[in-house]
Amino acid sequence: MTGTTAPALAPAPAARLSNRLGLWFAHAYVLGMCATIGGAYVFQFGLWEYPCPMCLLQRMFMLLSAVGPAMIVARSRKGPVTTAEFASGWGVAIVSALLGGTVSGAQVLMHIVPPDPGYAGALFGLHLYTWAAITFGLAVLAGAVNLVLARSAQPLDAALSSPALRRAAGITLGVLVFFAVTNLLACFLLQGFHWQMPGDPTGYRFFADLF
């Protein structure tokens, strides 16, 4: 009897321009979510408008949504990104954005009936939770488009053939870690060592208890 040899696996296709753009978009998504939280920091630390528990929850869902594309970015540094990994990353982004949109939508409805002035300040006439609802809606759309265009947008080995993408990966992941840590710190300062945070915070309870 003559032995049979297993057929050779076809090499993975090389990344094209669309695949590199798909990976750059994952970077942009992560940085965009972080920039949105950075805008909230301006209101919190620059204008002294303290976020309520629902506001902080929306920030957390933004970070969770950014984790999905960040998974794709992190995987791209080690080797080709498979279709399953690409879909999982954007799936995490979509599910997290849907949950965050539910929270921000609920807060919009809480303050929608006149003459309720809404919670905290506004930007271009819209409160931050309204902007959050818009952000989550755009996030779901972005994730869905990436899944529809997965064949063209999945990174494949784009990072391995692009020094710029490899360098950008470390920066993007570092920015996400920075905002995750600082948001956790902001929550702790607002809540202190108490089990519950006030629905309408007026200061940092950690410092109030300390001094």
Side-chain angles (χ1 to χ4, degrees):
M1 296 180 61
T2 58
T4 58
T5 57
L9 295 175
R16 298 172 298 174
L17 176 60
S18 64
N19 303 116
R20 291 193 293 272
L21 290 176
L23 185 52
W24 278 120
F25 186 81
H27 283 267
Y29 186 98
V30 175
L31 295 176
M33 283 296 185
C34 291
T36 304
I37 297 174
Y41 282 177
V42 173
F43 277 77
Q44 179 176 350
F45 300 109
L47 302 178
W48 299 100
E49 294 188 358
Y50 305 103
C52 69
M54 292 186 74
C55 299
L56 293 173
L57 189 58
Q58 290 164 60
R59 291 186 194 178
M60 292 177 186
F61 279 121
M62 287 181 184
L63 289 169
L64 284 175
S65 186
V67 165
M71 292 164 50
I72 299 173
V73 171
R75 180 65 183 87
S76 71
R77 303 174 71 187
K78 301 178 181 179
V81 179
T82 66
T83 303
E85 292 167 338
F86 180 78
S88 295
W90 284 111
V92 169
I94 292 173
V95 171
S96 301
L98 287 172
L99 293 173
T102 302
V103 176
S104 57
Q107 192 169 12
V108 170
L109 294 176
M110 286 172 58
H111 300 285
I112 200 171
V113 179
D116 192 321
Y119 182 80
L123 178 65
F124 301 120
L126 298 178
H127 290 277
L128 294 189
Y129 45 82
T130 305
W131 284 113
I134 295 172
T135 299
F136 285 126
L138 293 175
V140 172
L141 178 62
V145 169
N146 271 274
L147 291 179
V148 171
L149 302 177
R151 183 180 296 275
S152 300
Q154 60 182 342
L156 299 177
D157 62 350
L160 299 180
S161 58
S162 172
L165 277 167
R166 290 198 299 273
R167 289 192 297 268
I171 296 173
T172 298
L173 296 175
V175 170
L176 178 59
V177 170
F178 170 80
F179 276 93
V181 172
T182 54
N183 189 61
L184 181 63
L185 178 61
C187 292
F188 172 71
L189 294 178
L190 283 165
Q191 185 168 345
F193 294 100
H194 300 269
W195 286 107
Q196 288 185 323
M197 183 183 299
D200 187 4
T202 57
Y204 295 101
R205 300 179 78 186
F206 173 78
F207 295 116
D209 294 339
L210 191 62
F211 300 107

